[in-house]
Amino acid sequence: MDNELQDAESPPMVFILSSPRSGSTLLRVMLAGHSKLFSPPELNLLPFCTMAERDAQLGATANWLMGCDQRVGLNEAVMNITKMDGEESDRWLQRCVEQNIRIDAIYRTLRTWISPSRLVDKSTLNSSCLLFLERSRVITPNAQYIHLVRHPYSVVESLERSYQELVEQDGAAAEMLWLVPNQNILRFLAGIDPRNYQRIYYEDLVREPKSIMRRVCAFLGLDFERALLEPYLGERMTTGSPGRFESLGDPNFLNHDSIDSRLSESWKAKTGTKLGRDAQHLAAEFQYELP
Ligand code: A3P
């Protein structure tokens, strides 16, 4: 952890904030195509103060939380940056756990390794709690934020299809998984300089990826690069470590081979869905129709 760049010396970080099933994997893989961005799978760092805490909490949920071990995105990032093999990177991360390295030091190390590229953190867990989002301001006050929003009907449909057991236990779970993260994000962004965040809609992203990516590049102060529009081209940390773990993120991402604009309409399949009052208000704020 020697010779780490301090926050002000590093190019600003970028956080993708969204509810689950909002197309965040697609967006992070698109961004991974830019030569000035390093955009790995879920790092799942922000909710924790130290690596031992992260290991204990995510380790305990490894077999049931979303069906996979939520620690492995960091392994994939470390392997990709350092070119360590799986065992070496496991040992490096295990030492971080044993020495109880602070999470802010892990961020600094990653950012030092990839400098002058910018680190993109797309970890859906970050938006599950306002406190986690607030922590990003302490760790890196000069960060930029992209709020990715998707129609609640599409998110609910995707969650109901993917996590049937959860939805059977609690009929409102899918709606809450759209509502609560978006509420947290709005509360958090209310305290951020508007020049440092941008809201984009999933439906626009898949319908007109070029104009949305141009807008994102302008916001981030980067030149537009064509590879942003080709998420299935080249190495973008979508395969995990074969034989050891699968990549974190949308398990269906690799079932597509291009940006599927038809999914901008998926909410129409759920016409007649009854959302609670808070979700209706928030959907109206995002200017979504709720037929
Ligand atoms: P479903 O596969 O359930 O339809 P997230 O990564 O935030 O969890 O979002 C997952 C959703 O992103 C997917 O949910 C799918 O709708 C959308 N998605 C994934 N790959 C895509 C692609 N190539 N084109 C358009 N949408 C995609």
Short mmCIF file of all heavy atoms in Angstrom, two decimals, residues 18-26 122 150 157-158 161-162 202 206 232 249-250 252-253 256 258-260 263, ligand 1:
data_model
loop_
_atom_site.label_atom_id
_atom_site.label_comp_id
_atom_site.label_asym_id
_atom_site.label_seq_id
_atom_site.Cartn_x
_atom_site.Cartn_y
_atom_site.Cartn_z
N SER A 18 -27.71 3.09 -9.06
CA SER A 18 -28.98 2.62 -9.63
C SER A 18 -29.60 1.58 -8.72
O SER A 18 -28.94 1.05 -7.83
CB SER A 18 -28.76 1.97 -11.01
OG SER A 18 -28.18 0.69 -10.87
N SER A 19 -30.87 1.27 -9.01
CA SER A 19 -31.47 0.09 -8.38
C SER A 19 -30.96 -1.14 -9.13
O SER A 19 -30.41 -1.01 -10.23
CB SER A 19 -33.00 0.16 -8.50
OG SER A 19 -33.41 -0.23 -9.79
N PRO A 20 -31.13 -2.35 -8.56
CA PRO A 20 -30.80 -3.55 -9.32
C PRO A 20 -31.66 -3.63 -10.58
O PRO A 20 -32.73 -3.03 -10.63
CB PRO A 20 -31.15 -4.71 -8.37
CG PRO A 20 -31.52 -4.12 -7.07
CD PRO A 20 -31.72 -2.66 -7.24
N ARG A 21 -31.20 -4.36 -11.56
CA ARG A 21 -31.92 -4.65 -12.81
C ARG A 21 -32.25 -3.39 -13.63
O ARG A 21 -33.26 -3.34 -14.32
CB ARG A 21 -33.23 -5.44 -12.56
CG ARG A 21 -33.17 -6.53 -11.54
CD ARG A 21 -32.05 -7.49 -11.72
NE ARG A 21 -32.11 -8.24 -12.96
CZ ARG A 21 -31.14 -9.03 -13.41
NH1 ARG A 21 -30.02 -9.15 -12.72
NH2 ARG A 21 -31.27 -9.68 -14.53
N SER A 22 -31.39 -2.40 -13.50
CA SER A 22 -31.62 -1.15 -14.25
C SER A 22 -30.72 -1.02 -15.47
O SER A 22 -30.66 0.04 -16.08
CB SER A 22 -31.39 0.05 -13.32
OG SER A 22 -32.40 0.10 -12.34
N GLY A 23 -29.99 -2.08 -15.78
CA GLY A 23 -29.06 -2.01 -16.92
C GLY A 23 -27.69 -1.52 -16.49
O GLY A 23 -26.90 -1.07 -17.34
N SER A 24 -27.37 -1.65 -15.21
CA SER A 24 -26.09 -1.11 -14.72
C SER A 24 -24.89 -1.92 -15.23
O SER A 24 -23.82 -1.35 -15.45
CB SER A 24 -26.08 -1.04 -13.19
OG SER A 24 -26.33 -2.31 -12.64
N THR A 25 -25.08 -3.23 -15.43
CA THR A 25 -23.97 -4.03 -15.97
C THR A 25 -23.68 -3.58 -17.41
O THR A 25 -22.51 -3.39 -17.79
CB THR A 25 -24.32 -5.53 -15.95
OG1 THR A 25 -24.71 -5.88 -14.62
CG2 THR A 25 -23.15 -6.39 -16.38
N LEU A 26 -24.75 -3.40 -18.17
CA LEU A 26 -24.57 -2.93 -19.55
C LEU A 26 -23.81 -1.59 -19.56
O LEU A 26 -22.83 -1.42 -20.29
CB LEU A 26 -25.94 -2.77 -20.23
CG LEU A 26 -25.91 -2.16 -21.63
CD1 LEU A 26 -25.20 -3.08 -22.62
CD2 LEU A 26 -27.32 -1.84 -22.12
N LYS A 122 -19.31 0.52 -10.03
CA LYS A 122 -20.73 0.18 -10.26
C LYS A 122 -21.05 -0.95 -9.29
O LYS A 122 -20.85 -2.11 -9.58
CB LYS A 122 -20.88 -0.25 -11.72
CG LYS A 122 -22.15 -0.99 -12.16
CD LYS A 122 -22.21 -2.41 -11.72
CE LYS A 122 -23.09 -3.38 -12.43
NZ LYS A 122 -24.09 -3.98 -11.60
N ARG A 150 -34.43 3.26 -14.46
CA ARG A 150 -35.21 2.42 -15.40
C ARG A 150 -36.65 2.38 -14.95
O ARG A 150 -36.95 2.49 -13.74
CB ARG A 150 -34.61 1.01 -15.44
CG ARG A 150 -35.21 0.16 -16.54
CD ARG A 150 -34.54 -1.20 -16.65
NE ARG A 150 -35.03 -1.91 -17.82
CZ ARG A 150 -34.70 -3.15 -18.14
NH1 ARG A 150 -33.84 -3.81 -17.38
NH2 ARG A 150 -35.19 -3.72 -19.22
N GLU A 157 -40.51 -6.56 -13.11
CA GLU A 157 -40.64 -7.79 -13.93
C GLU A 157 -39.35 -8.59 -13.89
O GLU A 157 -39.36 -9.81 -13.70
CB GLU A 157 -41.00 -7.39 -15.37
CG GLU A 157 -41.31 -8.53 -16.31
CD GLU A 157 -40.06 -9.22 -16.87
OE1 GLU A 157 -39.03 -8.54 -17.14
OE2 GLU A 157 -40.10 -10.45 -17.00
N SER A 158 -38.22 -7.92 -14.04
CA SER A 158 -36.93 -8.62 -14.05
C SER A 158 -36.65 -9.28 -12.70
O SER A 158 -36.22 -10.43 -12.64
CB SER A 158 -35.82 -7.62 -14.40
OG SER A 158 -34.57 -8.21 -14.23
N ARG A 161 -38.87 -12.31 -12.13
CA ARG A 161 -38.42 -13.44 -12.96
C ARG A 161 -37.16 -14.07 -12.37
O ARG A 161 -36.99 -15.28 -12.34
CB ARG A 161 -38.16 -12.91 -14.38
CG ARG A 161 -37.77 -13.93 -15.38
CD ARG A 161 -37.87 -13.41 -16.84
NE ARG A 161 -37.76 -12.00 -17.04
CZ ARG A 161 -36.59 -11.36 -17.23
NH1 ARG A 161 -35.46 -12.01 -17.23
NH2 ARG A 161 -36.59 -10.04 -17.45
N SER A 162 -36.25 -13.21 -11.85
CA SER A 162 -34.94 -13.71 -11.40
C SER A 162 -34.96 -14.23 -9.96
O SER A 162 -34.17 -15.09 -9.61
CB SER A 162 -33.89 -12.61 -11.50
OG SER A 162 -33.99 -11.95 -12.73
N TYR A 202 -32.30 4.34 -18.67
CA TYR A 202 -31.98 3.09 -19.37
C TYR A 202 -32.63 3.06 -20.74
O TYR A 202 -32.00 2.66 -21.74
CB TYR A 202 -32.46 1.90 -18.52
CG TYR A 202 -32.48 0.59 -19.28
CD1 TYR A 202 -31.33 -0.20 -19.38
CD2 TYR A 202 -33.65 0.15 -19.92
CE1 TYR A 202 -31.35 -1.38 -20.10
CE2 TYR A 202 -33.66 -1.03 -20.64
CZ TYR A 202 -32.51 -1.79 -20.73
OH TYR A 202 -32.53 -2.95 -21.45
N VAL A 206 -30.47 2.46 -24.29
CA VAL A 206 -30.50 1.35 -25.25
C VAL A 206 -31.11 1.78 -26.60
O VAL A 206 -30.86 1.16 -27.61
CB VAL A 206 -31.23 0.09 -24.69
CG1 VAL A 206 -30.48 -0.45 -23.49
CG2 VAL A 206 -32.68 0.37 -24.34
N TYR A 232 -19.76 -5.72 -26.38
CA TYR A 232 -19.39 -7.14 -26.50
C TYR A 232 -18.06 -7.33 -27.21
O TYR A 232 -17.66 -8.43 -27.52
CB TYR A 232 -20.52 -7.93 -27.18
CG TYR A 232 -21.75 -7.96 -26.28
CD1 TYR A 232 -22.69 -6.94 -26.32
CD2 TYR A 232 -21.92 -8.96 -25.32
CE1 TYR A 232 -23.79 -6.93 -25.47
CE2 TYR A 232 -23.02 -8.97 -24.46
CZ TYR A 232 -23.94 -7.96 -24.55
OH TYR A 232 -25.01 -7.95 -23.68
N GLY A 249 -22.50 -9.35 -11.54
CA GLY A 249 -23.32 -8.44 -12.35
C GLY A 249 -24.48 -9.22 -12.95
O GLY A 249 -24.79 -10.33 -12.51
N ASP A 250 -25.09 -8.64 -13.95
CA ASP A 250 -26.27 -9.25 -14.58
C ASP A 250 -25.91 -10.61 -15.19
O ASP A 250 -25.12 -10.67 -16.14
CB ASP A 250 -26.76 -8.28 -15.68
CG ASP A 250 -27.87 -8.87 -16.51
OD1 ASP A 250 -28.47 -9.87 -16.08
OD2 ASP A 250 -28.13 -8.31 -17.59
N ASN A 252 -27.54 -12.35 -17.10
CA ASN A 252 -28.06 -12.48 -18.47
C ASN A 252 -27.32 -11.62 -19.48
O ASN A 252 -27.64 -11.65 -20.67
CB ASN A 252 -29.56 -12.11 -18.51
CG ASN A 252 -30.37 -13.04 -17.64
OD1 ASN A 252 -30.05 -14.22 -17.53
ND2 ASN A 252 -31.40 -12.51 -16.99
N PHE A 253 -26.35 -10.82 -18.99
CA PHE A 253 -25.66 -9.91 -19.91
C PHE A 253 -25.08 -10.66 -21.11
O PHE A 253 -25.18 -10.22 -22.25
CB PHE A 253 -24.56 -9.14 -19.17
CG PHE A 253 -23.73 -8.28 -20.05
CD1 PHE A 253 -24.21 -7.07 -20.53
CD2 PHE A 253 -22.46 -8.69 -20.46
CE1 PHE A 253 -23.46 -6.28 -21.38
CE2 PHE A 253 -21.70 -7.92 -21.31
CZ PHE A 253 -22.20 -6.71 -21.77
N HIS A 256 -26.95 -11.78 -24.45
CA HIS A 256 -27.14 -10.84 -25.58
C HIS A 256 -25.80 -10.74 -26.32
O HIS A 256 -24.76 -11.13 -25.79
CB HIS A 256 -27.52 -9.45 -25.07
CG HIS A 256 -28.74 -9.43 -24.20
ND1 HIS A 256 -30.01 -9.23 -24.69
CD2 HIS A 256 -28.88 -9.57 -22.86
CE1 HIS A 256 -30.88 -9.25 -23.69
NE2 HIS A 256 -30.22 -9.45 -22.57
N SER A 258 -25.43 -7.72 -28.36
CA SER A 258 -25.39 -6.30 -28.75
C SER A 258 -26.34 -5.55 -27.81
O SER A 258 -27.04 -6.19 -27.00
CB SER A 258 -25.85 -6.12 -30.20
OG SER A 258 -27.18 -6.56 -30.31
N ILE A 259 -26.37 -4.24 -27.93
CA ILE A 259 -27.31 -3.46 -27.12
C ILE A 259 -28.70 -3.68 -27.68
O ILE A 259 -28.95 -3.39 -28.86
CB ILE A 259 -26.95 -1.96 -27.16
CG1 ILE A 259 -25.52 -1.75 -26.64
CG2 ILE A 259 -27.95 -1.14 -26.36
CD1 ILE A 259 -24.99 -0.34 -26.84
N ASP A 260 -29.58 -4.23 -26.87
CA ASP A 260 -30.91 -4.62 -27.36
C ASP A 260 -31.93 -3.50 -27.09
O ASP A 260 -32.45 -3.37 -25.98
CB ASP A 260 -31.34 -5.92 -26.66
CG ASP A 260 -32.60 -6.50 -27.28
OD1 ASP A 260 -33.28 -5.77 -28.04
OD2 ASP A 260 -32.92 -7.66 -26.99
N LEU A 263 -35.53 -3.80 -25.41
CA LEU A 263 -35.79 -3.87 -23.96
C LEU A 263 -36.21 -2.51 -23.38
O LEU A 263 -36.65 -2.44 -22.24
CB LEU A 263 -34.57 -4.43 -23.22
CG LEU A 263 -34.30 -5.91 -23.53
CD1 LEU A 263 -33.02 -6.39 -22.85
CD2 LEU A 263 -35.46 -6.77 -23.06
P1 A3P B 1 -33.11 -8.92 -17.49
O1 A3P B 1 -32.03 -9.81 -18.03
O2 A3P B 1 -33.76 -9.48 -16.29
O3 A3P B 1 -34.08 -8.49 -18.55
P2 A3P B 1 -28.48 -4.84 -13.99
O4 A3P B 1 -27.19 -5.10 -14.66
O5 A3P B 1 -28.58 -3.44 -13.41
O6 A3P B 1 -28.85 -5.88 -12.98
O7 A3P B 1 -29.63 -4.85 -15.12
C1 A3P B 1 -29.94 -6.06 -15.79
C2 A3P B 1 -30.84 -5.77 -16.98
O8 A3P B 1 -30.12 -5.06 -17.98
C3 A3P B 1 -31.30 -7.03 -17.70
O9 A3P B 1 -32.40 -7.57 -17.01
C4 A3P B 1 -31.65 -6.52 -19.07
O10 A3P B 1 -33.00 -6.04 -19.11
C5 A3P B 1 -30.69 -5.33 -19.25
N1 A3P B 1 -29.62 -5.68 -20.21
C6 A3P B 1 -28.59 -6.53 -20.03
N2 A3P B 1 -27.86 -6.65 -21.15
C7 A3P B 1 -28.46 -5.87 -22.09
C8 A3P B 1 -28.21 -5.57 -23.47
N3 A3P B 1 -27.22 -6.13 -24.14
N4 A3P B 1 -29.05 -4.71 -24.09
C9 A3P B 1 -30.08 -4.13 -23.44
N5 A3P B 1 -30.37 -4.38 -22.15
C10 A3P B 1 -29.58 -5.24 -21.47
#
